[in-house]
Amino acid sequence: MSEATSTGYPEENYLTQGSTLKSWLLTTDHKRIGVLYLLTISVFFLLGGLFAAGIRLELATPQGDLVQPETYNRMFTMHGILMIFFFLIPSIPATLGNFLIPLQIGAKDVAFPRLNLASWYIFVIGGCFTLWALVSGGVDTGWTFYTPFSTLFSNSHVLPAALGVFITGFSSILTGLNFIVTIHRMRAPGLTWFKLPLFIWSHYATSLIQVLGTPVVAITIVLVAFERVFHLGIFDPSVGGDPVLFQHLFWFYSHPAVYIMILPGMGVISEVVATFSRKRIFGYKFMAFAVLAIAVLGFFVWGHHMFVSTQSVYAGTVFSVLTMLVAIPSAVKVFNWTATMYNGAVSWDTPMLYAIGFIGLFTIGGLTGVMLGTMGIDIHVHDTYFVVAHFHYVMVGGAIMAFLAGIHYWWPKIAGKTYPVFWSKLAALIVFIGFNLTFFPQFLLGYMGMPRRYHAYPEEFQVLNVLSSAGATVLGVGYLLPVIYLTYSFFFGARCAQNPWGAVGLEWETTSPPPTLNFDEIPTVTGEVYDYSPKKEAQVV
Amino acid sequence: MSVHVSPTSTYVKVFLTLILLTATTVWVAFYDFGILNNVIALGIAFAKATVVVLFFMHVKWSSPLIKLIAGAGVVWLVILILFTLGDYLTRTIHYTAPPI
Amino acid sequence: MSSSHAHAPGLAHHFDSYEQQRQSASLGMWLFVAQEIMFFGGLFTAYLIYRLMNPVVFAVASSELEIKWGALNTGVLILSSLTMALAVRMAQLGKRKAIVGFLCLTLLLGLTFVGVKAIEYTNKWHHHLVPGEHFSFHLSPTEIGALQSHGIDVSDPAQAYYVQSRAEMFFSLYFAMTGLHALHMLIGIGLILYILRPAWKGRFNLDNHNFVEGFGLYWHFVDIVWIFLFPLLYLLGRHLPHA
Amino acid sequence: MELFKHLPLFPESASTVAGKVDAIYFFGIFLSAFFSLLIAVLVVAFAVKFRRRHPDAYGVPEKTSTPLELTWSIIPLLISLFLFGWGVKVFIEVNQAPSNAIEYTAVGKQWMWKFKHPEGNREINDLHVPMGTPIRMKMTSEDVIHSFFIPAFRIKRDVLPGRYSEVWFEATKPGVYHLFCAEFCGAEHSRMIGSVHVMEPAAYEAWLQGKEPGQTAVASGEELFKSLACITCHRGDAGSRGPILANLDGGEVELANGQVVKSDDAYLRESILNPRAKIVKGYEPLMPSYQGQVTEEQILSLIRYLKEINQKVADAGDATPAAETQTAANEG
Ligand code: HEA
Ligand code: HEA
Ligand code: CUA
Ligand SMILES: [Cu+2]
């Protein structure tokens, strides 16, 4: 390492290499592309959140008196599409992954920098199609696009929305492809597989799903679009098409997709828990194999979304037992994080608070997922608010918590600035409280029998719905805070030290923010991964 | 630099094999072998595809990693087909279009 | 950063060596191929399931396709794969003119394929076999006989509807699958046109021929898709009308 | 467990299978609560106990313990396999109708449920069933996928176009229970709600024999208005899909083609039997035809009732503001 960099904020870094709009829009620097993604997905998140606010506002009263049912259906559909395809799937991989993978493996960039930029543009184009669907009146099929409603009956703007999802799919595929090649081919000398941070492992596993799963949903969505436009008869029951086949093809991707959303989060949590416990992750190899196991097993369980769809009972049984298997590696991860904290030196910095929140909420979400995978329970709670609660626990309580943990952890690396400690801890607390208030009542609602995608509901469900709506307001405030103080910090925050957390890992060996080519000199790795010990300060020469 | 360069003759042989297999598959299509019809047609297609992958696409000389990726594509497709098929083959309520 | 490579032509700044660059390109291209397998895979799955559910009608409907065109196109594609493989070989050997020559041959064969496909599509159009409002599937006496021998009596309106609708589904799948394949051919043709110039200018040399090699993988993959489409769509059940 | 059932936060159990589903649910909840609390307590305890007290403090390095890893893989594995087995058992019980089950049919359509009793009676959205008799519901859909869901019975099954699906139940408690459509099916999905009336066998017989006699035309019209699901679209407020049925007693109606027609008995009859003939201004031609589903007698009752509610709305004096919101909503 050159001496000059360890003193702090470098005058020459990737942010200062040109400040024109063009220098951003034509950049091939993975760090800048990560920042571009961060901006775009934030917009989509706020938009999706706005629709969530609409949903909760409507559901505060049972009569369905705020908006027309058509409008409500468009709200939850746009909410689901925006949140899943345009926020959560790209959230961690495309922002933090893009920014950190080359840094953590000691590379100058990803393997295909121009493809990386192209992926962002594809993402934006896909987003434009979705916005087109939105401004022209929205879609009302639910994010799942079930046929034959989506093909023959909906009179909303399915076509642009379907194309939007199709196009974004390729952004996701190409990002995954880029990461796999990067991780295989661009590692610094000495950096063998079992010296890789778990963040890298989980992105590797995620990328596999992106490359092998996404194309299937892409072609399926295209078929839906063609069936609408050219009257091809592929899922249309009147020519013998089977709507359940659509569901198979859809969930073949969309179940693994939930692991696209959570695995990178698990990677972040592993980094954060290790750093803030100042300890090597307990059971490192088990953790590495667990993400691979989740990614692979995740492809065998999609039928658990279809237990009551008239799928064969035998198929359902097989999917159910495989669902149980995929829970095991997740259990291994949860227990290992907990064990890492044992005997650690645990600090209560903001990222760690989010990480602790993640562990608890993901566990609840995951265990209720196991309940859903149990056929005897799913028959009652399928398509009720129990499912809604489950997936918000894993996606909002899990994945978004992890995303926020990651943003707070690597913010000094990305921006080179500090953020206000008090506000950031307060936000973590508000998010945690608001989240539980919003979504815990939904478990109860679900078992009572309140179906999802209901614009109006019988009166006996109102009390719990009001609680949920109240919680959503708190949660909204909790999310707004980081948006505000991080923006403030980016422009006006105090410059921070190169390695404010005392973390190990190649990304902390370079300046914060890093120079355009990441390292003045490509490091050679000799030490172990997560080597936290007082004696050896630097294991990277 | 370790690129394997195959001689032209290999490629020509591969080409002739493929044409031969194509002729065979067309020819046998007109005979009824019962349930073996599909097996034969797909078997020959697989044979042709394998030849293309191994020789034209050089997988025979590629690294294990490339072999793995190529294999993964196929295996994942098999997962998709097999599990979906599993549902259809074990349904007890049969697929009937009721008159409405 | 090893400065010795700083001026190496065709070596991107973030790679250390041609070897690293080449291996990255080939791994990337193979992942792309895997992605393509799954992309077509969704369609193949749908086709297999539906074929299984309606074997007789699909067989009868598929006899509307003309084997001569299908077989011809299979031959054309295999030949184009040969020329493509030879183009890659020439790139590996750094023979500029030969690369261009073989690429041109491949281009011609690709165009032939698309031309034949266009003829077939036109025929389908004239025979009202394009799904949608104008679709109507006319049965020849042999076909009626074949259906009858499998217990499908088209003089019953319900069963006639069954045959019509399943035949429409067959052609929906036919157009979806061959259409997607033809689109890939067109993209391939476009890419050949795109690389002809740099090939002529000698951009592809011993060190740097990743693009030709990667493109070759793509072309062969598209060939493989057709290798499966041909028996599935044209051949299976051919024996039926004769039975 | 009995305790839980009396909480107001718990659905009524009114079928033979409800208890079985509840039992496995409680086990699942217990399991989730146990592991969630375990993890939460450990994480918080470790965060407190091992709190970093010195800025340069380090954790104590530990070796991976394979036995430990195996323990916490195998125990959850066994538990979840147990849950799986139990779940399959319950699922099959909930799905396999006893051989003596009586077959009813249900047809889902946007956005109503149409039922047919084995005796031939037809109902819309309301379903009357006898207690203590296993009933097999044979179902199909006329348009999109719906899902037949009765929370009190803990049963659910999708209803698909172009094929039959089945669900069965045996009600154990008289009462009126919700019937929900659980699969998203379009604009009025949340109003595709029906009621299941579980009756003592004797009462059910009586119900089958004929509706209670001596009802006035208006009263039976009102009943029909509900049972034929007119009410789902004509709720009488601004959000409805159909127009507010006011001012029909000899008033004037503006049609989509600009024509103005007088609302009389013939118009009302036509509106019910052939709704597409005259489309009210500002509305979609959504209303289904009731041709063949209502007897002439019933049409008469309906017309009497329609004129009657017209009266009521006018008397209540809120007809005009409601109508204004209506137009405002349509223009907006
Ligand atoms: C980030 C997203 C995410 C994640 C990670 C998961 C994780 C899991 N999900 Fe979830 N799920 C969704 C997102 C996600 N899900 C979404 C969006 C839907 C609805 C889609 C729609 O219809 O719109 C859904 C729906 C859904 C269903 C269908 C419900 C229905 O429609 O009827 C099922 C059924 O099996 C299910 C199961 C599971 C399981 C078993 C896991 C497992 O991976 C969880 C594993 C984790 C743990 C088990 C916790 C940790 C373990 C321990 C602490 C040890 C103890 C464990 C045991 C004793 C078992 N999910
Ligand atoms: C990443 C995925 C993700 C995320 C983050 C969220 C976030 C939220 N979701 Fe949603 N949700 C889905 C994925 C997600 N959801 C999916 C896939 C569905 C299924 C759709 C379908 O059925 O097709 C769904 C469905 C769904 C429903 C069920 C609708 C129905 O079935 O009828 C509900 C109801 O409560 C809901 C609520 C919320 C709430 C309150 C939040 C909150 O966390 C959002 C909080 C964020 C904000 C509020 C925005 C930021 C703050 C501001 C801009 C400040 C101003 C706002 C206020 C002060 C209120 N979501
Ligand atoms: Cu019918 Cu929802
Ligand atoms: Cu799932």
Side-chain angles (χ1 to χ4, degrees):
Chain A
M1 288 308 310
S2 60
E3 293 305 303
T5 54
S6 54
T7 50
Y9 195 93
E11 293 310 326
E12 284 280 299
N13 63 54
Y14 82 100
L15 288 171
T16 60
Q17 300 294 312
S19 55
T20 57
L21 193 61
K22 194 174 148 210
S23 75
W24 280 90
L25 292 182
L26 295 181
T27 180
T28 54
D29 181 349
H30 65 101
K31 299 179 289 301
R32 284 190 162 213
I33 294 173
V35 173
L36 287 177
Y37 268 114
L38 182 59
L39 287 174
T40 28
I41 64 158
S42 300
V43 171
F44 286 122
F45 173 69
L46 290 180
L47 212 57
L50 233 53
F51 284 110
I55 293 174
R56 284 319 324 168
L57 218 54
E58 168 67 80
L59 294 180
T61 60
Q63 295 86 7
D65 39 14
L66 181 70
V67 294
Q68 300 284 322
E70 286 89 345
T71 314
Y72 179 81
N73 298 339
R74 285 163 162 82
M75 290 201 302
F76 72 68
T77 304
M78 292 314 301
H79 168 67
I81 292 179
L82 288 170
M83 285 299 199
I84 298 253
F85 295 112
F86 293 94
F87 169 65
L88 201 50
I89 285 180
S91 64
I92 297 180
T95 58
L96 295 174
N98 241 326
F99 199 99
L100 290 160
I101 288 176
L103 285 168
Q104 288 194 336
I105 64 173
K108 294 185 204 122
D109 205 325
V110 294
F112 308 115
R114 275 185 297 166
L115 187 69
N116 201 14
L117 182 65
S119 305
W120 180 72
Y121 275 104
I122 295 173
F123 177 69
V124 171
I125 294 170
C128 290
F129 271 84
T130 307
L131 293 181
W132 166 24
L134 183 74
V135 295
S136 59
V139 215
D140 66 352
T141 59
W143 80 279
T144 47
F145 290 100
Y146 271 21
T147 57
F149 183 71
S150 60
T151 48
L152 303 175
F153 288 87
S154 169
N155 44 24
S156 62
H157 302 268
V158 180
L159 187 67
L163 291 179
V165 170
F166 172 77
I167 295 169
T168 327
F170 283 92
S171 158
S172 183
I173 293 170
L174 295 175
T175 304
L177 185 155
N178 218 335
F179 286 176
I180 295 181
V181 178
T182 307
I183 296 171
H184 268 290
R185 299 289 191 229
M186 313 285 285
R187 280 170 286 131
L191 191 53
T192 52
W193 283 90
F194 289 113
K195 288 181 182 176
L196 288 175
L198 289 168
F199 185 81
I200 300 291
W201 276 97
S202 45
H203 274 81
Y204 187 78
T206 309
S207 303
L208 282 178
I209 307 178
Q210 287 175 303
V211 170
L212 292 170
T214 319
V216 177
V217 83
I219 188 72
T220 310
I221 288 284
V222 168
L223 288 181
V224 166
F226 277 23
E227 192 153 334
R228 263 185 92 83
V229 181
F230 301 121
H231 306 287
L232 285 191
I234 290 177
F235 302 120
D236 176 359
S238 69
V239 298
D242 184 3
V244 177
L245 180 64
F246 169 84
Q247 297 174 22
H248 275 298
L249 294 175
F250 180 83
W251 291 114
F252 176 82
Y253 163 74
S254 293
H255 179 81
V258 312
Y259 299 118
I260 298 181
M261 303 180 230
I262 202 71
L263 288 176
M266 291 175 158
V268 169
I269 298 303
S270 296
E271 302 298 297
V272 170
V273 168
T275 300
F276 293 93
S277 304
R278 290 262 171 86
K279 200 166 156 250
R280 182 187 157 96
I281 279 283
F282 193 80
Y284 167 84
K285 280 196 184 175
F286 285 89
M287 292 293 258
F289 286 124
V291 285
L292 288 183
I294 294 175
V296 172
L297 285 173
F299 273 100
F300 293 85
V301 307
W302 76 83
H304 67 208
H305 295 268
M306 302 164 59
F307 287 145
V308 304
S309 70
T310 72
Q311 166 185 244
S312 118
V313 180
Y314 301 99
T317 307
V318 172
F319 282 126
S320 175
V321 72
L322 292 168
T323 301
M324 299 302 163
L325 294 188
V326 79
I328 305 311
S330 312
V332 167
K333 301 212 67 107
V334 169
F335 289 123
N336 276 313
W337 289 318
T338 314
T340 306
M341 290 173 69
Y342 181 79
N343 264 340
V346 183
S347 88
W348 291 8
D349 288 310
T350 315
M352 191 61 183
L353 295 187
Y354 279 111
I356 290 175
F358 169 95
I359 296 174
L361 299 180
F362 171 74
T363 303
I364 298 178
L367 283 157
T368 51
V370 171
M371 288 173 71
L372 289 171
T374 308
M375 298 166 83
I377 301 178
D378 189 67
I379 198 169
H380 177 58
V381 293
H382 170 73
D383 268 350
T384 66
Y385 266 79
F386 194 93
V387 178
V388 176
H390 153 69
F391 66 72
H392 283 93
Y393 263 81
V394 270
M395 297 200 297
V396 183
I400 295 193
M401 282 289 207
F403 180 56
L404 288 172
I407 289 284
H408 284 88
Y409 174 41
W410 282 294
W411 187 255
K413 177 70 24 194
I414 297 171
K417 305 286 181 70
T418 58
Y419 48 80
V421 174
F422 169 77
W423 287 104
S424 64
K425 290 188 178 178
L426 183 71
L429 192 69
I430 294 179
V431 166
F432 185 81
I433 294 172
F435 171 80
N436 283 295
L437 191 57
T438 313
F439 294 109
F440 195 81
Q442 297 186 355
F443 282 125
L444 304 172
L445 276 174
Y447 203 74
M448 279 171 78
M450 177 167 166
R452 60 192 281 207
R453 299 171 170 174
Y454 262 33
H455 147 261
Y457 53 85
E459 264 162 29
E460 64 259 33
F461 299 139
Q462 189 175 11
V463 177
L464 290 168
N465 269 299
V466 168
L467 277 182
S468 180
S469 296
T473 319
V474 179
L475 188 56
V477 173
Y479 285 140
L480 216 49
L481 280 178
V483 176
I484 295 170
Y485 64 72
L486 288 182
T487 314
Y488 176 85
S489 147
F490 190 85
F491 293 106
F492 311 109
R495 293 175 174 187
C496 68
Q498 175 179 325
N499 186 356
W501 314 114
V504 299
L506 288 183
E507 79 265 36
W508 298 108
E509 300 294 326
T510 184
T511 56
S512 305
T516 296
L517 288 182
N518 294 346
F519 299 94
D520 294 338
E521 195 166 331
I522 290 298
T524 305
V525 180
T526 53
E528 292 297 312
V529 64
Y530 300 124
D531 197 358
Y532 284 99
S533 63
K535 278 148 282 163
K536 295 187 278 178
E537 283 296 5
Q539 47 289 121
V540 178
V541 186
Chain B
M1 186 134 310
S2 57
V3 197
H4 174 93
V5 184
S6 315
T8 309
S9 62
T10 311
Y11 289 133
V12 174
K13 273 185 222 151
V14 168
F15 168 73
L16 292 176
T17 316
L18 289 172
I19 291 291
L20 200 72
L21 285 173
T22 308
T24 317
T25 190
V26 173
W27 176 54
V28 298
F30 290 94
Y31 297 91
D32 190 357
F33 300 96
I35 50 164
L36 285 181
N37 285 330
N38 301 352
V39 179
I40 294 173
L42 285 175
I44 294 178
F46 266 110
K48 286 162 76 180
T50 314
V51 171
V52 173
V53 168
L54 286 183
F55 296 95
F56 281 170
M57 296 168 92
H58 302 154
V59 164
K60 191 160 186 275
W61 301 280
S62 298
S63 65
L65 177 65
I66 300 288
K67 294 193 171 100
L68 194 74
I69 300 278
V74 179
V75 169
W76 253 252
L77 179 56
V78 170
I79 297 172
L80 170 62
I81 292 177
L82 273 192
F83 275 64
T84 311
L85 212 59
D87 172 21
Y88 286 84
L89 295 180
T90 57
R91 283 188 187 172
T92 44
I93 296 184
H94 280 289
Y95 189 85
T96 43
I100 297 174
Chain C
M1 192 175 12
S2 29
S3 51
S4 56
H5 285 306
H7 314 290
L11 180 65
H13 71 278
H14 58 292
F15 286 119
D16 288 329
S17 64
Y18 286 115
E19 181 64 9
Q20 188 188 28
Q21 179 167 343
R22 198 183 66 81
Q23 293 203 339
S24 300
S26 106
L27 179 57
M29 202 52 214
W30 270 102
L31 283 163
F32 186 77
V33 168
Q35 179 279 133
E36 286 276 39
I37 294 179
M38 297 311 289
F39 192 59
F40 278 96
L43 272 175
F44 276 97
T45 310
Y47 180 79
L48 289 175
I49 300 275
Y50 286 140
R51 174 125 207 163
L52 198 80
M53 291 199 309
N54 315 290
V56 182
V57 183
F58 267 45
V60 170
S62 74
S63 65
E64 289 293 317
L65 304 181
E66 291 167 273
I67 289 197
K68 62 169 194 256
W69 292 126
L72 173 67
N73 254 352
T74 311
V76 168
L77 263 197
I78 292 176
L79 189 58
S80 81
S81 257
L82 175 66
T83 54
M84 188 68 229
L86 292 175
V88 172
R89 182 170 184 275
M90 293 310 156
Q92 287 169 336
L93 298 174
K95 299 195 174 151
R96 183 175 68 94
K97 283 190 181 153
I99 304 178
V100 175
F102 279 118
L103 281 179
C104 285
L105 274 179
T106 314
L107 179 70
L108 277 182
L109 290 164
L111 288 170
T112 312
F113 179 93
V114 175
V116 171
K117 206 72 230 156
I119 296 175
E120 284 192 88
Y121 278 8
T122 328
N123 288 345
K124 298 289 159 306
W125 174 260
H126 288 310
H127 291 100
H128 299 281
L129 292 174
V130 178
E133 272 171 28
H134 302 286
F135 183 85
S136 83
F137 182 45
H138 290 287
L139 291 163
S140 69
T142 25
E143 288 169 339
I144 293 177
L147 288 168
Q148 199 114 43
S149 68
H150 286 86
I152 300 177
D153 176 9
V154 290
S155 59
D156 171 0
Q159 298 195 25
Y161 174 75
Y162 171 78
V163 172
Q164 286 294 326
S165 61
R166 299 323 188 253
E168 183 169 357
M169 172 186 266
F170 174 84
F171 282 101
S172 295
L173 286 161
Y174 166 80
F175 279 105
M177 295 169 93
T178 56
L180 188 66
H181 178 264
L183 183 69
H184 276 78
M185 291 295 297
L186 289 175
I187 293 174
I189 289 169
L191 284 173
I192 296 186
L193 291 173
Y194 175 73
I195 59 174
L196 271 179
R197 232 171 80 94
W200 181 250
K201 290 205 168 157
R203 289 281 175 71
F204 304 122
N205 51 41
L206 286 174
D207 279 334
N208 175 31
H209 48 263
N210 296 335
F211 202 102
V212 185
E213 221 163 325
F215 177 68
L217 290 181
Y218 173 87
W219 193 265
H220 297 310
F221 169 78
V222 177
D223 183 18
I224 290 177
V225 172
W226 185 258
I227 285 179
F228 281 96
L229 286 180
F230 176 54
L232 282 177
L233 294 170
Y234 289 77
L235 295 181
L236 280 187
R238 249 325 131 147
H239 57 279
L240 258 194
H242 303 259
Chain D
M1 258 170 222
E2 269 308 299
L3 188 91
F4 283 106
K5 295 191 178 163
H6 297 297
L7 277 175
L9 293 180
F10 200 75
E12 190 114 39
S13 310
S15 78
T16 47
V17 297
K20 295 174 186 168
V21 176
D22 288 348
I24 187 171
Y25 174 72
F26 284 124
F27 180 72
I29 289 289
F30 166 77
L31 204 72
S32 303
F34 174 78
F35 278 102
S36 306
L37 285 177
L38 176 76
I39 297 293
V41 167
L42 287 180
V43 168
V44 172
F46 292 166
V48 174
K49 177 150 189 281
F50 300 108
R51 182 163 189 190
R52 193 183 297 170
R53 289 172 214 284
H54 189 277
D56 297 328
Y58 280 87
V60 183
E62 278 162 284
K63 278 259 178 321
T64 300
S65 155
T66 308
L68 205 53
E69 301 284 347
L70 288 181
T71 314
W72 61 48
S73 315
I74 291 173
I75 291 179
L77 180 66
L78 294 180
I79 296 176
S80 56
L81 285 182
F82 172 72
L83 197 64
F84 153 76
W86 187 358
V88 172
K89 187 166 158 286
V90 172
F91 187 83
I92 289 174
E93 280 167 0
V94 175
N95 272 292
Q96 211 143 56
S99 52
N100 62 340
I102 297 170
E103 185 176 297
Y104 284 47
T105 58
V107 176
K109 87 179 253 201
Q110 282 177 328
W111 294 277
M112 59 179 83
W113 294 102
K114 298 195 284 190
F115 299 106
K116 196 170 158 203
H117 292 246
E119 295 84 2
N121 300 39
R122 291 173 187 274
E123 296 187 81
I124 290 185
N125 284 352
D126 281 281
L127 173 65
H128 290 78
V129 293
M131 197 180 94
T133 313
I135 287 170
R136 201 167 48 144
M137 192 60 77
K138 193 170 183 184
M139 309 181 292
T140 188
S141 160
E142 285 185 17
D143 35 48
V144 300
I145 306 179
H146 305 275
S147 190
F148 185 89
F149 176 33
I150 305 176
F153 296 174
R154 314 282 190 275
I155 55 163
K156 181 181 294 118
R157 195 86 185 153
D158 281 5
V159 179
L160 281 82
R163 85 156 68 150
Y164 287 119
S165 56
E166 277 186 6
V167 71
W168 82 277
F169 56 86
E170 181 182 332
T172 54
K173 218 193 272 176
V176 184
Y177 306 105
H178 289 301
L179 160 66
F180 290 129
C181 173
E183 182 63 63
F184 179 67
C185 55
E188 300 282 306
H189 162 61
S190 57
R191 296 232 162 74
M192 194 163 157
I193 300 186
S195 306
V196 185
H197 303 258
V198 177
M199 308 170 97
E200 301 280 0
Y204 179 70
E205 276 314 311
W207 177 85
L208 273 183
Q209 297 311 318
K211 310 282 160 67
E212 302 87 281
Q215 237 179 358
T216 64
V218 174
S220 56
E222 177 167 16
E223 196 168 274
L224 283 167
F225 196 72
K226 283 183 193 137
S227 64
L228 292 174
C230 315
I231 189 111
T232 50
C233 298
H234 299 285
R235 281 179 294 131
D237 62 55
S240 309
R241 303 182 61 77
I244 297 171
L245 297 175
N247 198 20
L248 292 181
D249 194 1
E252 299 203 319
V253 181
E254 198 180 343
L255 301 183
N257 58 12
Q259 222 182 326
V260 176
V261 295
K262 191 164 178 290
S263 163
D264 51 18
D265 285 9
Y267 169 76
L268 292 179
R269 188 187 143 82
E270 188 187 47
S271 294
I272 297 169
L273 295 181
N274 186 12
R276 305 220 163 174
K278 300 196 174 73
I279 303 297
V280 181
K281 184 169 184 217
Y283 289 89
E284 297 288 315
L286 283 175
M287 176 166 161
S289 160
Y290 282 83
Q291 185 91 47
Q293 296 188 39
V294 284
T295 64
E296 287 299 326
E297 207 180 352
Q298 289 173 322
I299 297 175
L300 286 175
S301 313
L302 271 172
I303 293 178
R304 281 297 308 278
Y305 171 70
L306 288 178
K307 290 180 168 174
E308 191 73 17
I309 49 168
N310 166 39
Q311 201 78 42
K312 276 185 201 151
V313 177
D315 286 349
D318 57 12
T320 343
E324 268 168 13
T325 5
Q326 181 82 59
T327 26
N330 279 309
E331 279 160 9

